[in-house]
């Protein structure tokens, strides 16, 4: 027996430029959606809190880097939910009433798959992303595989549960890829939620951290970063990050930030192509650039600078 519920649905592919006269919601609509009968290994859950990812915005605005998202599709992959019903089959320890966050990506789980055989579902070429390949957290209810269910640890609220997925992306990037050492100087470019969480984790690893933003960010995002004790840097085409480092930046104690106008690590969270292009010139030789953002167009990389720095 199916049940009719509401969902926020991505429908169109029109490229939308905000403030250009076209409603930013033109590609989306609130729709009635039918929940299918549960298949083997599936559960039905009530969504509790759902975060809005930058990728949800990009897909809704028709940006080409998310043109691959299936339509129509109930989007949303950062959410918490409560298990309402178990379908047929074995669900392990999953029980009705469990409050959980889902694994956004689920691989094919074939034992012959090089990625799935070592539990790296995110690298599976046949992975299914909730909210992109199957309906996600912007529906009042959701049907998904019980293999995706990650019960919230004791003490975590359902609201906090909606932050687990984006935080997991940052943890994977910083702690599994970057090897941050105490005393290093780290710049986070972009001061949205991903940037600010990246800054917190980098500092927790022992780094001294600066966060960049634009003039528009001064009164809210950069203000919050400053309140959290981070160095804040306002950048613009006329006042670039590299030029400000060359002129000298100091921390809150007046101590110089960056050695010879270079830093040990740059974490790119802005999604602005020019920022990633510039990043090469502000990281020391054998330093690292960690890219967490996605980009709506190709990024120009100045390979001559890379050659010069490594020789």
């Amino acid at each position: 027996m199916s049940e009719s519920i509401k969902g926020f649905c991505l429908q169109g592919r029109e490229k939308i430029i905000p403030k250009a006269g076209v409603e930013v919601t033109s590609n989306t609509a609130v729709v009635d959606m039918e929940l299918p009968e549960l298949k083997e290994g599936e559960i039905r859950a009530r969504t509790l809190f759902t975060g809005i990812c930058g990728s949800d915005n990009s897909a809704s605005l028709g940006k080409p880097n998310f043109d691959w998202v299936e339509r129509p599709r109930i989007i949303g992959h950062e959410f918490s939910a409560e298990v309402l019903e178990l379908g047929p089959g074995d669900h392990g320890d999953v029980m009705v009433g469990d409050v959980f966050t889902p694994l956004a990506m689920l691989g094919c789980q074939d034992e012959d798959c090089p990625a799935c055989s070592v539990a790296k579902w995110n690298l599976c070429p046949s992975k299914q992303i909730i909210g992109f390949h199957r309906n996600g957290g912007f529906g009042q209810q959701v049907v998904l595989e019980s293999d995706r269910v990650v019960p919230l640890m004791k003490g975590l609220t359902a609201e906090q549960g909606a932050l687990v997925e984006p935080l997991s992306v940052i943890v994977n990037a910083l702690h599994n890829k970057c090897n941050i050492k105490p005393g290093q100087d780290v710049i986070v470019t972009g001061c949205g939620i991903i940037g600010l969480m990246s800054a917190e984790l980098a500092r927790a690893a022992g780094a001294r951290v600066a966060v960049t933003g634009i003039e528009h960010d001064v009164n809210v995002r950069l203000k919050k970063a400053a309140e959290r004790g981070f160095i804040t840097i306002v950048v613009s085409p006329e006042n670039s990050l590299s030029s400000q480092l060359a002129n000298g930046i100091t921390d809150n104690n007046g101590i110089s930030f960056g050695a010879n106008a270079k830093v040990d690590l740059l974490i790119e969270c802005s999604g602005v192509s020019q920022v990633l292009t510039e990043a090469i010139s502000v990281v020391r030789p054998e330093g690292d650039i960690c890219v967490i953002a996605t980009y709506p167009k190709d990024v120009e990389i100045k390979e001559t600078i890379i050659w010069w720095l490594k020789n």
Side-chain angles (χ1 to χ4, degrees):
M1 192 116 182
S2 63
E3 181 180 352
S4 179
I5 57 173
K6 299 287 186 181
F8 183 75
C9 185
L10 174 66
Q11 296 177 320
R13 299 177 182 273
E14 180 184 358
K15 185 176 181 179
I16 299 172
I17 301 175
K19 299 182 180 179
V22 178
E23 291 291 333
V24 294
T25 55
S26 295
N27 287 327
T28 60
V30 176
V31 300
D32 291 317
M33 53 182 288
E34 295 292 327
L35 282 182
E37 295 284 349
L38 296 181
K39 299 177 183 177
E40 185 87 9
E42 290 185 334
I43 61 118
R44 179 171 63 91
R46 176 173 65 94
T47 55
L48 300 174
F49 291 89
T50 303
I52 303 174
C53 180
S55 59
D56 295 324
N57 286 331
S58 293
S60 298
L61 294 174
K63 293 184 178 180
N65 55 330
F66 282 92
D67 190 57
W68 54 270
V69 177
E70 297 176 356
R71 291 148 167 96
R73 177 65 60 218
I74 304 298
I75 55 178
H77 56 273
E78 303 174 356
F79 65 94
S80 60
E82 177 187 3
V83 178
L84 296 178
E85 180 184 359
L86 304 178
D90 182 14
H91 298 275
D93 296 329
V94 177
M95 300 175 61
V96 171
D98 283 350
V99 176
F100 68 93
T101 187
L103 291 171
M105 299 182 185
L106 184 65
C108 67
Q109 300 178 277
D110 191 316
E111 61 182 15
D112 294 325
C113 173
C116 292
S117 63
V118 291
K120 292 187 177 182
W121 291 344
N122 59 309
L123 302 181
C124 174
S126 301
K127 64 179 175 285
Q128 293 282 300
I129 304 174
I130 193 167
F132 291 153
H133 296 108
R134 63 179 300 161
N135 288 340
F138 282 113
Q140 291 176 309
Q141 294 184 21
V142 63
V143 170
L144 47 79
E145 305 91 335
S146 59
D147 285 339
R148 292 187 190 264
V149 172
V150 181
L152 297 185
M153 295 174 60
K154 185 177 181 180
L156 281 184
T157 66
E159 187 173 11
Q160 291 169 331
L163 289 173
V164 170
E165 193 280 334
L167 182 59
S168 72
V169 172
I170 300 166
V171 170
N172 179 58
L174 270 59
H175 290 294
N176 294 339
K177 309 297 181 184
C178 292
N179 192 28
I180 300 173
K181 296 180 175 64
Q184 288 187 329
D185 285 343
V186 173
I187 286 181
V188 178
T189 48
C191 52
I193 183 65
I194 297 297
L196 293 180
M197 287 198 295
S198 295
E200 293 284 0
L201 264 68
R203 180 167 61 184
R208 193 168 50 151
V209 183
V211 179
T212 75
I214 60 176
E215 188 66 33
H216 177 75
D217 299 317
V218 168
N219 293 327
V220 179
R221 293 176 171 181
L222 285 179
K223 179 182 177 182
K224 177 59 66 174
E227 290 172 353
R228 295 291 301 164
F230 298 111
I231 302 166
T232 58
I233 306 170
V234 181
V235 297
S236 67
E238 300 76 29
N239 199 16
S240 67
L241 174 59
S242 55
S243 67
Q244 292 188 61
L245 279 168
N247 291 331
I249 293 173
T250 58
D251 65 15
N252 298 329
N253 295 315
I255 300 173
S256 178
F257 178 82
N260 300 317
K262 308 290 183 184
V263 296
D264 300 292
L265 167 67
L266 185 142
I267 306 168
E268 212 308 85
C269 303
S270 74
V272 178
S273 302
Q274 296 90 327
V275 173
L276 181 55
T277 299
E278 185 188 20
I280 298 170
S281 64
V282 302
V283 173
R284 64 170 174 78
E286 296 190 334
D288 293 310
I289 298 172
C290 175
V291 181
I292 301 180
T294 62
Y295 302 88
K297 61 181 181 179
D298 292 340
V299 178
E300 177 184 343
I301 299 296
K302 298 177 180 178
E303 67 280 357
T304 304
I305 296 178
I306 299 176
W307 178 88
W308 176 257
L309 289 174
K310 72 182 181 65
N311 284 284

